[in-house]
Amino acid sequence: MRARRAGVDETVLTEDGVRLWATRAGAGDPVVFCHGGPGLWDTLEEVSGLLAQRVSVHRWDQRGCGRSQRCGPYSVARSVADLDAVRRRFGLSRMALLGHSWGAQLTLRYALEHPERVSRLVYVSGTGIDRGASWHEVYERNLRANIRSGLGRWEALKARKRTDAEDREFCVLQWSADFAERERALEHAERMATPWLGVNFECNAAINAENKRTWGTPDLRAACEKLDVPVLIVNGAEDIRPGWAVDSLEQALPRVSRTVLSGAGHLPWVEDPEGFRAAVSGFLADLQ
């Protein structure tokens, strides 16, 4: 693999001709990040900063999102194929994966389909392998409770067609619920939304609808029980998605460890960066 300067933007061309934005930083064993959403852009630059002294971090915007070409189709299978295109573009025969939220689900799906290409998997703030209905009611209740004084405005924006500026306002209010540090929640959410690259709500709806149909099946659990890849589950104790949602995955995986960071929410590296760095760096330290 030819040398690349850290932080230089790259273009990944998928086999169906869609251009994806990607970048690489650091030196060492390769770790490919998968951001959350679906429909968002890469929000994991801070995580790269925590880890890039030890590993080579590869980040990318998923299809239709952020700096990547806004072009479908949008599906789980397409997302898995796009992740493999990133792997090929950087010349990686084998890689560790780190996925956040929806990205955690994506990395798990990739590992189940291509275990020989995955050295380790870091599953951050995912929601397990049961059907979403098992935990979503608790999430919705916690979401509304955490938005607090902004709830009326959030509900009004949710109910109507929005401008781009209103999309950003809506998302900042919603994302503020994801932080345990309530006095700084809006500040954290504003930083997450800056720069604002726009949410692809079509992508979000399509992939979420597919996951509702396919998640929580006996076949998925059986596949996880056979996955011969070391997995680290990381979640914040104060995530508004209940921690027990991911128990199903922990119980199914044969090679799994788990770290729960107290005082942290859905983006645990923001509120406990040292705890997050220690857990993930330790897990990745003996990559082969």
Side-chain angles (χ1 to χ4, degrees):
M1 182 174 67
R2 68 182 178 86
R4 297 182 178 88
R5 291 177 295 167
V8 175
D9 288 356
E10 303 273 358
T11 298
V12 175
L13 189 66
T14 69
E15 71 271 21
D16 64 339
V18 174
R19 297 183 303 277
L20 307 177
W21 172 88
T23 190
R24 176 187 182 276
D29 294 300
V31 183
V32 176
F33 287 7
C34 291
H35 62 77
L40 300 184
W41 56 91
D42 174 74
T43 57
L44 301 174
E45 187 173 4
E46 285 184 57
V47 180
S48 177
L50 292 172
L51 302 178
Q53 290 185 347
R54 296 171 179 258
V55 295
S56 175
V57 173
H58 303 73
R59 296 160 34 230
W60 59 296
D61 284 345
Q62 293 165 30
R63 171 181 298 243
C65 303
R67 292 146 290 196
S68 290
Q69 187 177 356
R70 208 171 183 92
C71 179
Y74 305 119
S75 68
V76 175
R78 186 65 263 170
S79 299
V80 169
D82 289 349
L83 173 52
D84 202 52
V86 173
R87 178 192 66 81
R88 293 194 307 272
R89 173 65 181 83
F90 286 106
L92 308 176
S93 58
R94 204 159 175 254
M95 59 188 172
L97 294 174
L98 184 150
H100 173 246
S101 196
W102 142 249
Q105 312 291 73
L106 171 56
T107 58
L108 176 63
R109 283 289 195 185
Y110 185 93
L112 292 173
E113 292 190 27
H114 304 291
E116 74 285 355
R117 299 174 190 168
V118 181
S119 57
R120 294 189 169 235
L121 193 160
V122 183
Y123 182 97
V124 183
S125 301
T127 51
I129 55 175
D130 287 339
R131 294 194 182 278
S134 66
W135 57 266
H136 211 268
E137 182 179 343
V138 175
Y139 162 72
E140 290 283 350
R141 186 166 62 247
N142 290 340
L143 172 68
R144 283 172 165 77
N146 269 14
I147 293 177
R148 297 182 181 177
S149 61
L151 182 59
R153 177 62 174 167
W154 175 82
E155 288 179 332
L157 290 168
K158 183 180 182 181
R160 73 178 192 227
K161 186 176 181 180
R162 300 181 296 271
T163 65
D164 187 60
E166 288 174 333
D167 274 348
R168 186 183 187 281
E169 181 186 3
F170 172 77
C171 288
V172 167
L173 286 170
Q174 179 159 319
W175 296 343
S176 73
D178 281 326
F179 298 96
E181 195 177 8
R182 300 310 308 151
E183 64 275 12
R184 296 188 64 195
L186 279 171
E187 174 192 338
H188 291 319
E190 283 281 354
R191 194 171 75 208
M192 184 177 169
T194 305
W196 174 251
L197 300 181
V199 176
N200 186 330
F201 290 101
E202 178 189 356
C203 171
N204 180 274
I207 292 178
N208 280 341
E210 180 181 349
N211 281 334
K212 286 180 181 178
R213 297 192 301 269
T214 60
W215 221 247
T217 63
D219 286 348
L220 176 59
R221 184 178 181 90
C224 289
E225 289 172 345
K226 297 176 183 176
L227 182 62
D228 189 24
V229 172
V231 178
L232 171 66
I233 295 172
V234 182
N235 58 281
E238 305 303 320
D239 195 332
I240 59 176
R241 299 146 192 80
W244 50 258
V246 79
D247 291 352
S248 55
L249 177 62
E250 183 182 13
Q251 292 159 6
L253 292 170
R255 303 178 66 186
V256 63
S257 55
R258 187 170 180 179
T259 296
V260 179
L261 297 174
S262 61
H266 192 56
L267 287 73
W269 63 88
V270 173
E271 294 169 303
D272 187 1
E274 290 309 314
F276 185 90
R277 187 211 309 262
V280 176
S281 293
F283 178 71
L284 297 176
D286 57 349
L287 280 171
Q288 300 297 321

